[in-house]
Amino acid sequence: MNNFKDIQSIYDGQKSAEPTEIPRELQKRIQKADSLVNNSHIKNIIILSITLLAIVGIDRFYFTATSTLFEIGIISMIMALAIRITIEMFSYRRKKNLNVLRKSDLFIADLKAFYQWRKKIHQYPTYLTFLLYVIGVGLLFIEFHNHLSQFWFVFFLIEFVVIMLVLIIFIRKKIRKEIKSLNEMIDLYEV
């Protein structure tokens, strides 16, 4: 046993990835944090799906004879929503597959990997899909300018800017809340 590999194999043999008992109070806190993250994914999927269906419905029922620019705007909005829904569904499934009441080194590593993955998702993909959506709306506004009076065009433009600012604040708040919940869950396991 003068070899480092022999010592490491003995250490690895003693290390257990088996579940350990988690105190009840800690279980409740873990379940609450887990529930917040899961509910966030479900709410996002529902809201984005309703928005997607509304855009598709509006496009099909009210604007069947519009310009190509309008259709490109609608398509970019639909693509942005579809990409975001797909990301949220994948995240929900990935998170749901983690057994949060099992404490092991393997689970903690999986939870940390999920946390890092969600942080990466919230960096570029979230902003890119939001930008794609805003570009789509911008293309719609070019068409609106051609068909609406000056008053209504300015009204909708101001309304759009206000809604985008509110959305940006809301999205940032939700992202921070989700990342905080995931970070708290990791901290609870590392106690």
Side-chain angles (χ1 to χ4, degrees), residues 104-119:
S104 70
D105 291 340
L106 181 60
F107 171 74
I108 293 170
D110 289 345
L111 184 61
K112 285 180 180 179
F114 180 77
Y115 170 76
Q116 291 301 322
W117 184 76
R118 284 302 288 180
K119 280 177 62 174

Side-chain angles (χ1 to χ4, degrees), residues 46-65:
I46 290 170
I47 291 169
L48 293 170
S49 297
I50 290 170
T51 305
L52 178 67
L53 291 173
I55 291 171
V56 169
I58 288 171
D59 181 46
R60 292 299 138 220
F61 293 116
Y62 295 110
F63 301 107
T64 55

Side-chain angles (χ1 to χ4, degrees), residues 117-161:
W117 184 76
R118 284 302 288 180
K119 280 177 62 174
K120 286 179 185 174
I121 289 295
H122 290 313
Q123 286 176 349
Y124 298 111
T126 296
Y127 294 117
L128 290 175
T129 55
F130 188 75
L131 181 63
L132 182 61
Y133 187 83
V134 170
I135 288 170
V137 173
L139 293 173
L140 298 182
F141 269 96
I142 293 171
E143 189 68 22
F144 291 162
H145 186 267
N146 295 334
H147 296 294
L148 295 175
S149 70
Q150 186 69 22
F151 171 79
W152 287 111
F153 176 75
V154 171
F155 174 78
F156 286 128
L157 187 60
I158 291 171
E159 182 183 36
F160 171 70
V161 170

Side-chain angles (χ1 to χ4, degrees), residues 29-45 88 91-96 98 100 111 114-115 117-118 122 174-186:
R29 291 173 59 197
I30 290 170
Q31 286 174 324
K32 182 180 178 186
D34 183 54
S35 175
L36 280 171
V37 173
N38 288 339
N39 289 341
S40 174
H41 292 304
I42 291 170
K43 287 176 186 174
N44 286 342
I45 291 168
E88 288 301 315
S91 293
Y92 178 72
R93 279 193 216 117
R94 187 172 173 182
K95 175 67 183 68
K96 202 68 173 157
L98 296 174
V100 296
L111 184 61
F114 180 77
Y115 170 76
W117 184 76
R118 284 302 288 180
H122 290 313
K174 284 189 60 78
I175 288 171
R176 286 185 180 146
K177 185 176 180 180
E178 178 190 353
I179 296 300
K180 182 181 175 192
S181 294
L182 284 169
N183 201 19
E184 286 174 358
M185 197 180 307
I186 290 169

Side-chain angles (χ1 to χ4, degrees), residues 2-51:
N2 54 9
N3 188 327
F4 177 73
K5 288 183 181 180
D6 292 337
I7 295 170
Q8 186 175 3
S9 69
I10 291 170
Y11 175 75
D12 288 342
Q14 291 175 349
K15 230 167 93 171
S16 174
E18 292 298 314
T20 57
E21 189 64 33
I22 300 173
R24 262 206 212 288
E25 187 59 38
L26 187 57
Q27 283 181 6
K28 289 178 185 176
R29 291 173 59 197
I30 290 170
Q31 286 174 324
K32 182 180 178 186
D34 183 54
S35 175
L36 280 171
V37 173
N38 288 339
N39 289 341
S40 174
H41 292 304
I42 291 170
K43 287 176 186 174
N44 286 342
I45 291 168
I46 290 170
I47 291 169
L48 293 170
S49 297
I50 290 170
T51 305

Side-chain angles (χ1 to χ4, degrees), residues 59-80:
D59 181 46
R60 292 299 138 220
F61 293 116
Y62 295 110
F63 301 107
T64 55
T66 58
S67 72
T68 305
L69 205 53
F70 187 86
E71 287 300 320
I72 292 171
I74 291 288
I75 289 170
S76 68
M77 291 168 65
I78 290 171
M79 285 176 42

